[in-house]
Structures are given as C-alpha cells and as structure tokens.
Amino acid sequence: MTGRQLELRELSQSLTYGGLLEGLPTRRRNQKYLENVVARHQTPQQPPVFLITPAETAIELEPGETYPFGDPATLPRITCVGLFRSTPVAAADAVLNRSELRVVWLQNEFALPIEASIMEDLSKLDWDALAANVEL
C-alpha cells in the first residue's frame, strides 16, 4: 500500500443474503451478487470500486442429495462498502488534493471493527494504481 494512511469516510452495511427468500445460495448466485454490488457503486461520478474477494464456504448436503440449482455455497453474512480517502495519488494538480477508493468486502459480523483479515487486505492495496484523485 506504499505506507499510506487511509481515512474511512463512509461505511454502509447490509445482510449478504437479506434478499434471499427461499432456496440455498450457490456459487453462481454469489458471483452474480458480488458483480451487482460492485456495479451498483461503479459510476462515472463516483470513485473507483475495488472488491476484496471473499471466501466462499461450501454448503454440505446429505449423502446422495443434490441441489438442482447449482453448487451450494455461502459468503460471509455482512456486505460492507467503505469509502476511503488518502493523500493524492500524484501531485499533478493542486486542485485535486485527495484520492478516494470505494472498497467492497464481506465479513461475518457488522463493522466496526473491520475484521483483521480485511484490515490486512486493505494494507496491501496498491492505492496508487486503484484510487483516483478527487477535488474537494
């Protein structure tokens, strides 16, 4: 991460499976969910979005049982979307005096705190490559 200090400016959280009314989550459904979360926040007026890829856990079925809609698997319970701010990516323009990046991650409990494994992932981000300068 190049030793940057990040400031969490916004944090929104929701239940990962809050809209799942029946059935089991599947790997395909999980992938589509993650794509939709990123797409929802990826607009020209917003800072770039980065997804910290969550761990998926297989749902064990009874021996001989199959699930007709795909390979059942779960993601962590809580989806978090944080807007982080830091110093500019480059000193190209004095007007652009901050850089921002929206980060999506999943964890098992509502934040705060942010889970230790996510904090480690955040510390490894290539901020200069991922974030964009913004005018404040």
Side-chain angles (χ1 to χ4, degrees), residues 57-71:
T57 304
I59 297 173
E60 298 296 323
L61 301 174
E62 295 295 321
E65 184 182 10
T66 60
Y67 189 66
F69 304 109
D71 186 17

Side-chain angles (χ1 to χ4, degrees), residues 22-36:
E22 68 178 303
L24 297 173
T26 62
R27 292 188 189 279
R28 183 170 177 235
R29 182 180 276 172
N30 291 342
Q31 182 61 38
K32 193 70 170 159
Y33 171 79
L34 293 172
E35 289 169 4
N36 288 339

Side-chain angles (χ1 to χ4, degrees), residues 41 43 48-49 59-61 72 74 78 81:
H41 295 283
T43 66
V49 178
I59 297 173
E60 298 296 323
L61 301 174
T74 61
I78 308 300
V81 181

Side-chain angles (χ1 to χ4, degrees), residues 50-117:
F50 180 78
L51 170 68
I52 295 175
T53 304
E56 235 178 350
T57 304
I59 297 173
E60 298 296 323
L61 301 174
E62 295 295 321
E65 184 182 10
T66 60
Y67 189 66
F69 304 109
D71 186 17
T74 61
L75 295 169
R77 294 183 336 105
I78 308 300
T79 299
C80 303
V81 181
L83 176 63
F84 292 88
R85 185 177 285 168
S86 187
T87 55
V89 170
D93 189 341
V95 176
L96 301 174
N97 55 2
R98 293 286 183 265
S99 59
E100 291 184 340
L101 178 65
R102 194 169 303 278
V103 180
V104 177
W105 73 91
L106 283 72
Q107 60 181 47
N108 290 312
E109 300 297 329
F110 281 103
L112 297 168
I114 297 172
E115 288 182 359
S117 63

